[in-house]
Structures are given as structure tokens and as C-alpha cells.
Amino acid sequence: MQGSSSKPVRLASLRKGTKAAVVHLDESGIATTLPPGELERRLIEMGLVEGARVEVMHEGFPSRDPIAVRVNEHTVALRRAEAGAILVMPHP
């Protein structure tokens, strides 16, 4: 990714093949039926913690939802809405 910004972006905005590192979880502003804090807890249980290496492996068709994300050594599926709670720093 040439000229990538030094600002974190939401995992939901990344395209297939993009690699990044998790920098923060922020569920504020994310539409969910879960009680406050529950989405963050679930993401942490999936290994989406600060410093985790991620790569978008697959995007659903036709709406690019859900996405498959490799997290360190395993793969998880996330809705784009959930992935919006994960702030990452893309790798060049």
C-alpha cells in the first residue's frame, strides 16, 4: 500500500489482501444489539488485541460482507459492522 497514512483506519474499510496491525478497539458508534462492552469482549476472545497481525483473506459476494480475516495464526469471519470497531494500522 503505497503512501499509507500514519493514522489508524477501521478494519471494515480494508480490501482483500490488505495486511495491518490492530492498534485499538472502539465499539462506540457501531450498530449492534449486544450490550455495551460485549462486542469488545468477543473481539478480544477472537485474538483481536493490540498488536495482533491481521490480513483480509476473503470478502463475501456481492456486498463484500462478511469478511474472513486472518488473525495471527487463525482465521475468523466478521460482519463489516463488527470490523468497524477494530482500528488498525495498514502495512505498506
Side-chain angles (χ1 to χ4, degrees), residues 21-37:
V22 175
V23 294
H24 183 67
L25 299 179
D26 178 18
E27 67 177 278
S28 64
I30 303 301
T32 180
T33 59
L34 299 171

Side-chain angles (χ1 to χ4, degrees), residues 81-92:
E82 296 163 342
I86 306 162
L87 294 166
V88 298
M89 188 67 69
H91 292 272

Side-chain angles (χ1 to χ4, degrees), residues 5-85:
S5 170
S6 61
K7 287 180 58 175
V9 298
R10 299 206 178 259
L11 179 59
S13 70
L14 300 184
R15 300 297 301 217
K16 182 178 176 180
T18 306
K19 296 179 181 182
V22 175
V23 294
H24 183 67
L25 299 179
D26 178 18
E27 67 177 278
S28 64
I30 303 301
T32 180
T33 59
L34 299 171
E38 181 64 16
L39 176 58
E40 184 175 340
R41 184 188 68 77
R42 291 181 184 193
L43 294 171
I44 290 168
E45 286 179 352
M46 288 187 256
L48 290 155
V49 296
E50 186 177 329
R53 294 169 292 131
V54 296
E55 178 181 1
V56 179
M57 303 298 294
H58 179 76
E59 298 174 319
F61 180 80
S63 64
R64 297 180 48 226
D65 200 24
I67 59 174
V69 180
R70 178 161 305 176
V71 181
N72 293 326
E73 303 301 322
H74 66 279
T75 304
V76 298
L78 296 169
R79 292 184 203 109
R80 287 227 179 241
E82 296 163 342

